[in-house]
């Protein structure tokens, strides 16, 4: 893992912003497509797995295309809420409160905001996003792995996210979200891998607020 004292702050900001938006590994693209009926059934399974997640916590490792990595803890509460607590030395935080997605930079006291629907993470968070409409199954070569690419062809600027599930009887819908890969509009690729997933845990809405560094007091 690349340590942060070798990670320029501008690069760090770009890497974290990249995690909001991730692509299909080339090896997957080269594989033959599955029969249409099989694809439809497996896509239904992936959708059921997503919709079955009410709350989730997990450890994550985020890696950019240069191999630089950050780690932290993810907290998710559907609909629309997610929090990436990065390691303390990053001095950054990513939070979605149900409507907007924020990147908070405590080193330079800046906050960036995006509508949830404008990020590929909307496929994971936005209850109004029709994953079946915008998603397609990507062959994985294994009956125990589902890979779903989600993109809005009318809005290529939103980027692409590929959600990857592995078969797990203890996970919602029998499939566990293990990682995703995002490709932003500038072709910057970031991979987020999850471990120690826990489902159905109690998560207060206050977990998705943050201290605004632009203000002396108050939270958003």
């Amino acid at each position: 893992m690349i340590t942060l004292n070798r990670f320029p702050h501008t690069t760090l900001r770009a890497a974290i912003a990249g995690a909001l938006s991730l692509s299909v590994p080339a090896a997957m693209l080269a594989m033959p497509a599955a029969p249409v009926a099989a694809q439809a059934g497996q896509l239904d399974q992936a959708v059921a797995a997503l919709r079955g997640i009410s709350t989730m916590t997990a450890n994550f490792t985020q890696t950019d295309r240069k191999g630089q990595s950050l780690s932290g803890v993810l907290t998710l509460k559907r609909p629309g809420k997610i929090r990436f607590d990065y390691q303390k030395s990053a001095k950054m935080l990513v939070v979605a409160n149900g409507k907007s997605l924020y990147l908070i930079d405590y080193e330079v006291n800046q906050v960036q905001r995006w509508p949830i629907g404008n990020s590929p993470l909307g496929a994971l968070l936005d209850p109004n996003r029709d994953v079946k409409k915008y998603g397609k199954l990507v062959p994985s070569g294994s009956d125990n792995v589902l890979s779903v690419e989600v993109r809005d062809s009318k809005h290529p600027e939103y980027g692409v996210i590929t959600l990857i599930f592995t078969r797990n009887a203890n996970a919602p819908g029998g499939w566990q979200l293990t990682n995703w890969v995002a490709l932003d509009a500038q072709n910057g690729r970031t991979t987020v891998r999850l471990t120690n997933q826990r489902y159905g845990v109690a998560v207060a809405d206050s977990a998705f607020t943050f201290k605004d560094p632009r203000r002396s007091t108050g939270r958003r």
Side-chain angles (χ1 to χ4, degrees):
M1 179 176 293
I2 303 299
T3 58
L4 288 179
N5 57 15
R6 295 171 54 199
F7 212 160
H9 193 74
T10 53
T11 303
L12 174 62
R13 168 184 276 273
I16 291 178
L20 311 183
S21 52
L22 315 151
S23 160
V24 184
M28 290 184 175
L29 289 174
M31 299 186 67
V36 173
Q39 286 192 27
Q42 291 176 323
L43 192 54
D44 284 339
Q45 292 176 43
V47 171
L50 279 179
R51 291 180 176 172
I53 299 174
S54 56
T55 63
M56 181 180 74
T57 61
N59 300 112
F60 73 85
T61 300
Q62 172 189 316
T63 306
D64 70 10
R65 61 181 176 179
K66 295 181 180 179
Q68 298 169 318
S69 295
L70 293 169
S71 60
V73 177
L74 175 151
T75 304
L76 181 149
K77 184 176 184 178
R78 297 186 77 233
K81 299 180 178 70
I82 199 166
R83 181 183 183 100
F84 293 86
D85 282 302
Y86 287 87
Q87 57 201 68
K88 289 183 179 180
S89 51
K91 298 181 181 179
M92 287 196 182
L93 176 70
V94 172
V95 177
N97 62 6
K99 295 181 179 179
S100 298
L101 190 66
Y102 296 88
L103 169 58
I104 304 98
D105 185 336
Y106 288 109
E107 182 164 293
V108 296
N109 295 333
Q110 291 183 354
V111 176
Q112 290 181 277
R113 183 183 71 86
W114 298 265
I116 287 175
N118 287 20
S119 164
L121 279 181
L124 180 60
L125 297 174
D126 187 352
N128 297 317
R129 180 70 65 89
D130 186 347
V131 173
K132 289 189 67 174
K133 179 179 179 180
Y134 297 106
K136 69 175 183 179
L137 197 71
V138 179
S140 67
S142 171
D143 292 338
N144 294 315
V145 178
L146 288 179
S147 181
V148 179
E149 177 193 281
V150 182
R151 70 169 75 218
D152 186 341
S153 60
K154 294 182 180 179
H155 295 281
E157 70 275 16
Y158 293 174
V160 183
I161 188 168
T162 301
L163 304 170
I164 300 172
F165 304 81
T166 59
R167 196 184 297 276
N168 187 321
N170 296 318
W175 291 91
Q176 180 157 277
L177 179 64
T178 57
N179 57 296
W180 65 80
V181 184
L183 189 70
D184 64 23
Q186 289 73 45
N187 290 322
R189 191 173 80 174
T190 309
T191 301
V192 175
R193 292 180 173 84
L194 305 180
T195 58
N196 195 30
Q197 294 93 326
R198 298 177 61 209
Y199 302 98
V201 296
V203 179
D205 287 342
S206 60
F208 306 97
T209 61
F210 62 90
K211 182 178 180 180
D212 194 328
R214 301 167 299 181
R215 304 176 181 180
S216 59
T217 60
R219 300 178 74 87
R220 291 187 61 90

